[in-house]
Amino acid sequence: NRVRPSAASEGYKRQVLAVLVCQYRDAAEGRKMGEIAQDLVERFNARDVRGRVHYYFLSSVSPWTSDIQNRLPLLQRAADYSLEAGDLPFAALSLFDMLGQNLMFGSASLEESEDLLARYGPQIHGMGQESLSQMFNLMRQSFHLLKSGSRQRSQIAGDYFDESKVRPRWEDTGASRNLFYLQLFKNWLGLIYFTDQPAPVRLAGAGAPIAHFDSVFAEYLDCCLSLMQDKKGSAEKPAASLLDRLVEYEKQAPANFGFMRAHLQGELRWKQGDLSGAMDAFDEACAISASSAILCGMIQQRTAAFYLNLRKPRFARIYADRARQIFQQIHSYGQLDQCERMLDEIRLQEVRQAPEDSRKSSSVSAMADTAVTTTASEAELDLESLMRSSAIVSSEIELDQLIGKLLPTLR
């Protein structure tokens, strides 16, 4: 069981290189390199770096080529490997990624997500990593804002995390990763509660982890919020640029990037006035986002807002009802409350359109009545003419006189 000194170093270097290849060159090639790195540390029992190697693979290599839903138990294993080696920072990072994915992309109810946060919280805090403990507290406070539906999201503050106290320290120490996740969670909540019309949050000093899946998700959130707020068309170019990349990412990992591509496509086409294209894109986004309950519900609601904007309340109701059903299933009462407010708007639009619909219906009915009356009158006239003509024919045998008497009855 003796570890070859070069095995640990070689495995770690190969995994870091795999991350860079995924970021700047080719995801499939990066995955092959990452798998070789994992094989090296397992084969030679490189315990000191095994957790790190697995974490980098799961966070920054595999999401570009395989479904992220498959990595949840593997992130737990990476945390266990790191704890076994005493590598507490990477143990905490692995748990943070696992909990973050479950919260933002999972299909669990909010009660189940809360149970996971409560279960792993003491373990993360017990690792003595202050920065990562603060990131976990940020996640937990964001979850409570999601659950409560609170509109006080300009500052994330509560029992677990107070942005006004923690953020200045992060800025002073250059904690770019922490600032990145503060920005991400604020924009995530902003998109979920989009009816409050929040502007995208962009924090100076925020730095996305290289090749991490969350870096693309953060761009997606920013572009969606920017398109909703944009009055001058300045958000369209960045959104189109990201959309081009998402199309490429989707080819190798459709489950991870498809819903982002379709939803962003819907928002962009709506902004550009391509309503038919927006309809198709929103419908596709609703269909392929089902594995992530919170995001699927949000996209269903955005689609309802799209049809409400087009003054098509019947279509808007279909999507709003679907969103409400999703939020009821996962017990997301804050989103459910937002959905009920949208349904009130839909009902109001239906009521306002009712007189217009009634006038149209009355007009159609009147036209139909006129047609029936005209047809009936013409039938009566024809019958009357036929009866008079028959009487004339029967009483007149001279052709000239018969013609002279028939002509007036046919005028």
Side-chain angles (χ1 to χ4, degrees):
N1 291 329
R2 187 162 169 260
V3 181
R4 284 176 49 181
S6 61
S9 175
E10 185 67 20
Y12 187 62
K13 285 189 292 186
R14 281 180 178 269
Q15 195 64 271
V16 172
L17 184 59
V19 171
L20 295 174
V21 169
C22 285
Q23 174 77 2
Y24 299 110
R25 189 170 174 180
D26 179 73
E29 184 180 346
R31 183 182 182 88
K32 290 178 183 177
M33 296 181 66
E35 288 173 342
I36 291 172
Q38 285 185 305
D39 183 62
L40 274 172
V41 297
E42 292 293 344
R43 184 186 304 175
F44 295 104
N45 196 25
R47 294 181 180 179
D48 289 349
V49 298
R50 185 165 57 179
R52 292 189 179 206
V53 167
H54 280 275
Y55 169 75
Y56 278 134
F57 181 80
L58 294 169
S59 66
S60 303
V61 177
S62 69
W64 305 99
T65 55
S66 60
D67 189 345
I68 60 170
Q69 300 296 339
N70 299 329
R71 68 177 184 163
L72 284 173
L74 301 177
L75 283 166
Q76 173 66 73
R77 186 175 69 179
D80 291 341
Y81 284 160
S82 295
L83 283 172
E84 180 184 346
D87 193 352
L88 300 183
F90 277 83
L93 275 174
S94 298
L95 292 178
F96 180 83
D97 273 29
M98 181 188 74
L99 294 170
Q101 179 183 318
N102 179 77
L103 177 59
M104 292 187 287
F105 308 109
S107 57
S109 70
L110 263 59
E111 285 83 356
E112 292 171 322
S113 294
E114 188 166 31
D115 287 345
L116 282 175
L117 291 169
R119 184 190 314 166
Y120 288 103
Q123 191 173 352
I124 291 175
H125 292 313
M127 294 176 185
Q129 304 298 308
E130 182 182 3
S131 177
L132 290 167
S133 290
Q134 291 171 343
M135 283 173 57
F136 172 78
N137 288 338
L138 164 64
M139 181 191 297
R140 195 163 189 182
Q141 191 61 53
S142 300
F143 168 79
H144 279 275
L145 289 174
L146 165 73
K147 186 178 178 182
S148 65
S150 170
R151 297 190 178 187
Q152 302 301 318
R153 288 184 292 276
S154 58
Q155 290 277 323
I156 294 182
D159 295 336
Y160 299 101
F161 181 87
D162 188 342
E163 180 182 345
S164 64
K165 296 178 180 178
V166 178
R167 177 178 164 184
R169 294 205 298 270
W170 286 352
E171 291 172 337
D172 290 342
T173 58
S176 60
R177 189 188 192 104
N178 301 53
L179 290 168
F180 167 78
Y181 277 103
L182 175 59
Q183 176 179 286
L184 184 147
F185 279 116
K186 293 181 79 165
N187 286 338
W188 174 66
L189 289 168
L191 187 58
I192 287 173
Y193 291 108
F194 64 87
T195 56
D196 295 340
Q197 299 185 345
V201 175
R202 293 166 186 155
L203 301 180
I210 293 177
H212 198 291
F213 176 75
D214 288 346
S215 63
V216 178
F217 184 61
E219 282 190 80
Y220 154 76
L221 295 174
D222 184 279
C223 284
C224 287
L225 290 171
S226 297
L227 286 170
M228 293 177 199
Q229 291 286 319
D230 187 31
K231 305 297 183 185
K232 301 179 180 178
S234 58
E236 293 180 21
K237 188 175 179 179
S241 176
L242 175 59
L243 193 56
D244 289 341
R245 284 188 285 129
L246 288 172
V247 169
E248 294 303 313
Y249 298 156
E250 187 181 6
K251 292 177 182 178
Q252 297 196 68
N256 301 344
F257 301 103
F259 79 89
M260 286 190 255
R261 188 267 311 157
H263 177 213
L264 184 59
Q265 203 167 50
E267 298 286 354
L268 182 58
R269 288 177 176 174
W270 182 8
K271 187 70 178 177
Q272 294 171 335
D274 179 6
L275 301 183
S276 177
M279 289 178 190
D280 292 340
F282 276 122
D283 276 344
E284 184 185 6
C286 289
I288 62 180
S289 61
S291 62
S292 174
I294 290 175
L295 290 172
C296 182
M298 177 275 295
I299 292 172
Q300 297 278 358
Q301 239 187 319
R302 280 298 296 167
T303 308
F306 167 71
Y307 282 107
L308 191 61
N309 180 264
L310 295 182
R311 294 181 56 79
K312 295 183 180 294
R314 292 180 183 176
F315 291 99
R317 177 177 289 279
I318 292 171
Y319 292 97
D321 282 339
R322 289 178 185 171
R324 178 170 59 179
Q325 184 178 6
I326 291 170
F327 300 148
Q328 286 174 335
Q329 288 173 347
I330 64 172
H331 305 157
S332 184
Y333 299 115
Q335 287 179 284
L336 188 59
D337 180 62
Q338 176 178 253
C339 195
E340 292 292 354
R341 293 197 301 271
M342 177 172 284
L343 281 164
D344 288 340
E345 291 183 51
I346 292 170
R347 294 184 193 101
L348 181 61
Q349 195 172 100
E350 287 173 334
V351 169
R352 287 174 175 171
Q353 287 187 1
E356 182 180 343
D357 292 341
S358 179
R359 284 195 299 272
K360 290 179 181 178
S361 178
S362 298
S363 175
V364 171
S365 178
M367 291 173 63
D369 290 344
T370 301
V372 170
T373 303
T374 302
T375 303
S377 299
E378 290 174 350
E380 291 172 2
L381 178 61
D382 291 343
L383 180 58
E384 182 182 349
S385 299
L386 179 60
M387 291 176 66
R388 286 191 280 115
S389 299
S390 298
I392 292 169
V393 169
S394 62
S395 62
E396 188 60 64
I397 58 172
E398 292 294 329
L399 182 58
D400 291 341
Q401 293 178 354
L402 177 60
I403 292 173
K405 290 182 179 181
L406 280 175
L407 284 175
T409 67
L410 300 176
R411 290 173 185 167

